Amino acid sequence: MNPEQNTASPKLKLAVSLTGTAKEGAIGPPLGLIDIGESEGGYLFRVALPGVKSSNSNLKCDIHSDGSVRVEGVVADAQILKNESEEFELKLHQLCPAGPFTISFNLPGPVDPRLFSPSFRPDGILEVVVLKSRAPRVSSEGA
């Protein structure tokens, strides 16, 4: 995503780094589109992961105290499509190509990486809430 295209907030410059199939995603819905929301106490971010299945993607999300985020996983190879009663050979493939990917970006501020709540939705969206880092309170007692 080009930071120049971000129309949500003129203050927020989002730099996103993509590798693997996320970078090569010339066909199909793009992998790695990101939304970031902010409240007084934390951040919510969503990452689009079309074609990624929670059961066989090795999905991993690392969040660091400086607000840097790294999402890793694998888009599964699906040459055979199945439903409840039949198998179908794939003839047209416009979704993201199979293979490993990483998506790296920074939240607008520091966070407490111990306090986050991830959810991988059935529609292929990784949604995470992480609390902002609180500066330690200095007690004025005994001063």
Side-chain angles (χ1 to χ4, degrees):
M1 179 176 162
N2 182 345
E4 306 292 316
Q5 294 173 337
N6 183 1
T7 58
S9 171
K11 297 186 302 183
L12 181 62
K13 297 289 184 187
L14 183 61
V16 177
S17 171
L18 306 175
T19 65
T21 59
K23 185 175 182 179
E24 298 166 9
I27 58 173
L31 188 71
L33 294 179
I34 299 168
D35 288 335
I36 298 175
E38 181 176 5
S39 72
E40 186 177 315
Y43 300 104
L44 176 140
F45 64 87
R46 296 180 183 136
V47 182
L49 302 172
V52 174
K53 303 283 187 220
S54 61
S55 60
N56 61 350
S57 67
N58 298 326
L59 193 59
K60 181 178 174 185
C61 180
D62 291 323
I63 302 173
H64 300 276
S65 59
D66 64 355
S68 62
V69 178
R70 180 180 171 103
V71 178
E72 306 178 6
V74 177
V75 176
D77 189 16
Q79 295 303 315
I80 302 291
L81 303 176
K82 298 178 184 180
N83 72 4
E84 295 174 9
S85 61
E86 290 187 72
E87 288 187 359
F88 301 86
E89 182 182 347
L90 193 60
K91 296 292 185 184
L92 175 64
H93 192 143
Q94 291 187 331
L95 294 176
C96 188
F101 66 86
T102 61
I103 301 163
S104 301
F105 60 95
N106 290 309
L107 296 170
V111 298
D112 187 338
R114 301 168 300 162
L115 303 173
F116 77 100
S117 174
S119 172
F120 190 67
R121 301 181 347 195
D123 60 356
I125 302 290
L126 173 65
E127 185 172 272
V128 178
V129 174
V130 61
L131 296 183
K132 291 180 178 178
S133 180
R134 299 279 183 214
R137 292 187 176 181
V138 178
S139 174
S140 60
E141 295 177 21

